[in-house]
Amino acid sequence: MKTLKSYVCGGWHEADGGFATLYNPSTEEAIAQASSQGVDFGAALAYARERGGSALRELDFLARGELLKNMSKALYEKRDELIALSLENTGTTRRDAKFDLDGATGTLHYYGALASALGPNKVIVDGEGQKLGRSARFWGEHVRVPLRGAAVLINAFNFPAWGFAEKAAAAILAGMPVIIKPATSTAMVTERCIEILVEADVVPDGVMSLICGSAGDLLSRLDSQDVLAFTGSADTALKLKSGDNLLAQCTRVNVEADSLNSAVLAGDVEPSSETWGLFLNDVFREITQKSGQKCTAVRRIFIPAEHADTIQAELAQRMGDVVVGNPTDPSVTMGPLASDAQLADAIEGTKSLAAESKIVHGHGERVDGAGAEAGKGYFFAPTLLRNDDTGADDLVHRREVFGPVATLLPYDGSAEKAAELVAMGGGSLVASYYSDSDDNAATFLAAAGPFSGRIYLGSEKMAEQAPGSGVALPQSLHGGPGRAGGGEELGGLRALNLYTQRVALQGSRKMLQNLTGNTSEE
Ligand code: NAP
């Protein structure tokens, strides 16, 4: 059985006890163990801050961009090996493994290329400068400079590659070293990614550290120059961000948490139209991709009551065609859930939802998987529920079942009602609204916008090009208000805000221009 190591203080650390076991979710075979026992978290943090931070701040944005592109290239070269590892440790199909790995390399490359927008500088100019005195000699500008600490990146189990890469890309471009802590159950993929990057020698010493296993006392050592970027459940987020030390130090914390994402079919969409087809394709993919273990997966499906039966039948038919099983079997189209804990949670969660909604496809229990031994593997078939009379207190607006489970919720077809229902989720990462009416879209935006990190507007005009609502594109913000954690990641250069301090500069215009290279007029 493989023992996962941590990478701290410029070297690999192997623990001698306190191990958690990692399993192949299709066979339940123990495949690795992980522990951070013996890691000196104080030394690891100091090494990242001092060695890694100074090395990065020596580089201008263009050089940091090259670094990110080299990271992307090194990982891409080992794509096939990482896909195979992902099948073994996370249970994803090849297609779902590519989604994670290509998301990782694509985002690293995107931020590498974005560096050209910042030029050969080390300071980001934030907005236009302006005259502060009677004449333009007394001038004001805003700039952003990297924090002096380390960025601790704690990730969920579902995206072991993309999860760390999207955070690391923004932190490194901004000029902050990173300490990566993957979820233990799927840490094999992340550990191998870091090993590949170390072997490729593309990242300066101290810029990248890895903790496999528990985070120990790391968070109680962070100060106001450090950052915690967290992705995971709302319960863990609450515990971590309300820790005494983080509160006392005012350490920056960004949270990406649970989300009851919705897909809405507007009343103007005609059956069998292109937008109707797009809605069905997107919703089906967003329920089943990665076995529903996606923070952006669709959990609530709002459909005009008059079309409810037709849509239910369409989705049930597609779900019935899904072959659940071991992804090494070529017939399989959806893998298992990632762990026994996730399987137990999906079963329990579906049962809770079924107390208020009716199961109309599937049964919310474990199933045997194709290509897998009977009774083994964390397999769970796609499950569809329906609730014709939902209210704000219903569990469907509060309980995220992190698996291939979604609920159909018929409504009157109006944009106002759709927004009201979406808002019952208490803040989500993404709401998708399928409509060919600009008026409906505008009404929906005004009322659902405050409750959504992203609104995906599905229409016939974009049907051919759009990848679906579940992809966290680096150009667009990823995060959401309320239940979704209140955080913001990605969104192009906006992602660097978390890792930089905004400084209001006041002084002579000439001096400020020399400092920033910003010669734009008022
Ligand atoms: P989780 O149990 O909350 O764990 C998330 C991470 O926190 C893991 O790395 C975990 O490490 C770590 N952790 C737990 N307790 C900790 C502590 N006391 N100190 C430091 N770290 C600690 O979540 P999960 O089961 O991995 O992921 C599923 C959840 O993540 C879902 O609710 C999903 O909605 C959410 N998610 C959100 C997004 C988003 O972008 N909004 C993306 C993906 C997933 P261990 O594994 O070692 O316990």
Side-chain angles (χ1 to χ4, degrees):
M1 185 159 61
K2 185 175 165 61
T3 297
L4 304 188
K5 299 188 194 108
S6 295
Y7 188 72
V8 288
C9 302
W12 290 100
H13 169 90
E14 184 168 324
D16 53 12
F19 290 104
T21 307
L22 283 71
Y23 297 91
N24 179 328
S26 300
T27 62
E28 300 187 30
E29 179 199 352
I31 48 175
Q33 57 180 3
S35 166
S36 60
Q37 191 167 290
V39 168
D40 181 339
F41 289 97
L45 190 56
Y47 197 87
R49 284 172 180 156
E50 286 153 27
R51 182 78 70 112
S54 359
L56 266 184
R57 290 192 301 272
E58 285 286 306
L59 305 178
D60 63 20
F61 289 114
L62 297 182
R64 289 179 213 159
E66 283 309 304
L67 194 170
L68 293 175
K69 286 190 209 163
N70 290 336
M71 288 173 73
S72 171
K73 191 161 166 276
L75 292 176
Y76 192 79
E77 280 168 5
K78 303 283 182 183
R79 186 172 181 255
D80 287 340
E81 180 198 335
L82 289 167
I83 288 171
L85 198 55
S86 189
L87 259 64
E88 188 186 2
N89 184 208
T90 71
T92 53
T93 59
R94 277 186 68 78
R95 184 189 288 198
D96 287 349
K98 285 182 201 161
F99 187 58
D100 181 34
L101 293 163
D102 294 346
T105 51
T107 305
L108 286 165
H109 186 84
Y110 169 82
Y111 275 98
L114 203 57
S116 61
L118 299 170
N121 303 307
K122 296 181 181 174
V123 164
I124 300 171
V125 177
D126 185 338
E128 296 295 308
Q130 46 190 313
K131 182 177 85 164
L132 298 179
R134 268 178 291 126
S135 78
R137 283 171 61 188
F138 182 40
W139 194 250
E141 297 233 17
H142 291 87
V143 295
R144 302 199 71 109
V145 293
L147 294 172
R148 284 289 169 124
V152 175
L153 315 180
I154 297 185
N155 285 304
F157 73 86
N158 56 343
F159 283 105
W162 199 347
F164 89 79
E166 67 176 13
K167 292 177 168 67
I172 290 173
L173 184 58
M176 277 193 95
V178 296
I179 300 178
I180 297 158
K181 192 225 140 349
T184 303
S185 61
T186 57
M188 271 177 99
V189 177
T190 319
E191 194 233 25
R192 183 63 190 128
C193 286
I194 304 308
E195 201 176 33
I196 289 166
L197 294 171
V198 170
E199 284 166 2
D201 198 17
V202 288
V203 183
D205 190 27
V207 167
M208 187 184 65
S209 309
L210 171 75
I211 306 291
C212 281
S214 140
D217 64 357
L218 181 61
L219 301 189
S220 65
R221 295 173 175 276
L222 301 188
D223 69 24
S224 60
Q225 288 293 312
D226 299 309
V227 170
L228 170 61
F230 171 85
T231 295
S233 65
D235 289 347
T236 309
L238 180 63
K239 191 160 72 185
L240 300 193
K241 75 179 179 189
S242 53
D244 287 347
N245 178 56
L246 297 188
L247 289 175
Q249 296 285 343
C250 296
T251 308
R252 285 191 199 175
V253 180
N254 189 76
V255 171
E256 301 290 341
D258 307 0
S259 178
L260 277 315
N261 309 301
S262 32
V264 180
L265 185 68
D268 64 86
V269 179
E270 294 293 333
S272 306
S273 64
E274 201 164 350
T275 307
W276 174 279
L278 178 70
F279 169 81
L280 283 170
N281 289 342
D282 282 359
V283 167
F284 171 67
R285 185 185 48 244
E286 295 310 323
I287 297 172
T288 52
Q289 190 173 42
K290 290 200 106 257
S291 310
Q293 300 170 112
K294 263 188 345 184
C295 53
T296 49
V298 168
R299 311 288 176 200
R300 301 177 298 154
I301 311 163
F302 299 110
I303 42 175
E306 67 202 273
H307 302 314
D309 292 341
T310 315
I311 285 169
Q312 178 184 317
E314 286 263 12
L315 285 177
Q317 190 192 342
R318 291 175 193 221
M319 286 173 149
D321 291 342
V322 170
V323 181
V324 184
N326 186 334
T328 55
D329 182 315
S331 71
V332 165
T333 55
M334 195 181 90
L337 300 184
S339 66
D340 58 347
Q342 289 305 314
L343 176 64
D345 187 67
I347 293 170
E348 191 277 319
T350 309
K351 197 175 281 174
S352 310
L353 293 183
E356 294 169 346
S357 306
K358 194 171 148 212
I359 296 182
V360 292
H361 181 81
H363 45 67
E365 297 291 343
R366 183 197 169 278
V367 292
D368 277 338
E373 192 183 328
K376 290 277 184 203
Y378 313 130
F379 301 108
F380 187 95
T383 301
L384 190 65
L385 297 98
R386 175 165 167 173
N387 183 336
D388 284 84
D389 184 25
T390 190
D393 293 336
D394 285 356
L395 211 52
V396 68
H397 306 295
R398 287 180 282 126
R399 176 70 160 94
E400 179 201 48
V401 179
F402 210 57
V405 180
T407 305
L408 287 168
L409 298 146
Y411 78 113
D412 69 10
S414 71
E416 292 83 357
K417 185 66 185 174
E420 190 188 312
L421 290 162
V422 165
M424 286 178 191
S428 55
L429 294 172
V430 56
S432 38
Y433 188 70
Y434 295 81
S435 170
D436 291 306
S437 153
D438 290 357
D439 286 348
N440 277 344
T443 305
F444 183 78
L445 168 63
F451 302 91
S452 313
R454 176 158 60 90
I455 291 183
Y456 172 94
L457 296 168
S459 70
E460 64 176 1
K461 294 254 165 56
M462 51 79 97
E464 270 180 28
Q465 291 187 19
S469 60
V471 186
L473 293 168
Q475 297 88 340
S476 297
L477 276 181
H478 175 63
R483 175 185 299 281
E488 286 188 350
E489 281 181 346
L490 303 175
L493 290 176
R494 293 174 189 87
L496 278 58
N497 291 354
L498 180 64
Y499 306 101
T500 51
Q501 174 62 41
R502 183 184 285 129
V503 183
L505 273 183
Q506 299 175 330
S508 107
R509 183 174 189 185
K510 188 98 189 105
M511 184 182 281
L512 263 58
Q513 278 181 344
N514 289 339
L515 285 178
T516 63
N518 187 6
T519 52
S520 59
E521 292 300 314
E522 185 182 357

